[in-house]
């Protein structure tokens, strides 16, 4: 009776341990996807407008923003052009302006020619489960979305100033 009870409880214990390992890996992968989305959105927003004095009033550079977002996603999460081509965001979730020729609608902007918001969705990635496959579970689909806002030429209160509050133009 003891041997039967130990074998049943051992099976239950190993099933729970496998579940914890699979969900832990999924959580870590989701965190990496969110970090990538955040970095890509910030890079795209940063690349939208020139920083030289002669070009400060130029319209947003959509191509540079899309390239920056894709470069950051490739460097941080290994996202390829094929991943971007397969990426699809519901039009109700995307911002209204999607740059033609980018091969994806997962990088969108709020307006043209002077956008203030960039939305980046990291393409969906299927994460296989280590132990779930034993029980027939094929894996998890993981993605992340981030939005960055930029106000070119704006004047903001310094959040990190130590001596006194002041303004800056970043």
């Amino acid at each position: 009776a003891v041997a039967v009870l130990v074998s049943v409880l051992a099976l239950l214990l190993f099933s729970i341990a496998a579940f914890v390992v699979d969900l832990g890996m999924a959580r870590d992968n989701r965190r990496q996807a969110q970090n990538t989305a955040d970095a890509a959105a910030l890079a795209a927003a940063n690349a939208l407008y020139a920083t030289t004095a002669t070009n400060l009033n130029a319209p947003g550079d959509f191509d540079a923003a899309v390239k920056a977002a894709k470069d950051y996603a490739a460097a941080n999460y290994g996202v390829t052009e094929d991943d971007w081509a397969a990426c699809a965001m519901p039009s109700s979730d995307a911002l209204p302006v999607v740059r033609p020729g980018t091969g994806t609608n997962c990088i969108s902007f709020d307006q043209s020619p002077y956008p203030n918001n960039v939305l980046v969705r990291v393409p969906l990635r299927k994460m296989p489960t280590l132990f779930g496959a034993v029980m027939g579970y094929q894996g998890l689909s993981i993605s992340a979305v981030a939005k960055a806002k930029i106000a070119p030429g704006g004047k903001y209160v310094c959040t990190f100033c130590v001596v006194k509050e002041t303004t800056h133009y970043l």
Side-chain angles (χ1 to χ4, degrees):
V2 171
V4 172
L5 186 60
V6 167
S7 64
V8 169
L9 291 178
L11 183 62
L12 180 66
L13 181 65
F14 286 127
S15 298
I16 291 172
F19 186 66
V20 168
V21 168
D22 283 344
L23 286 181
M25 287 176 41
R27 186 79 154 171
D28 183 55
N29 201 331
R30 170 71 170 94
R31 180 192 53 79
Q32 290 173 6
Q34 188 61 55
N35 287 347
T36 299
D38 293 342
L42 288 172
N46 193 39
L48 268 172
Y49 295 104
T51 56
T52 57
T54 56
N55 294 330
L56 288 180
N57 292 322
D61 188 351
F62 292 97
D63 295 330
V66 169
K67 182 181 179 334
K70 286 182 175 184
D71 288 348
Y72 269 75
N76 292 322
Y77 201 55
V79 179
T80 65
E81 281 296 325
D82 291 338
D83 294 335
W84 285 113
C87 184
M89 185 183 311
S91 58
S92 60
D93 294 342
L95 293 176
V97 178
V98 175
R99 187 72 173 167
T102 60
T104 183
N105 76 337
C106 289
I107 303 171
S108 57
F109 306 90
D110 64 337
Q111 58 188 353
S112 181
Y114 295 97
N116 293 323
N117 294 296
V118 179
L119 184 79
V120 175
R121 176 180 183 179
V122 173
L124 199 63
R125 182 174 283 180
K126 185 84 167 180
M127 192 199 94
T129 56
L130 226 54
F131 297 105
V134 173
M135 295 187 279
Y137 189 70
Q138 297 304 315
L140 302 165
S141 296
I142 295 176
S143 182
V145 177
K147 184 177 180 182
K149 181 175 183 156
I150 186 169
K155 198 172 189 182
Y156 300 95
V157 175
C158 183
T159 307
F160 301 108
C161 295
V162 177
V163 178
K164 65 177 184 172
E165 274 197 19
T166 186
T167 56
H168 61 83
Y169 293 96
L170 291 176

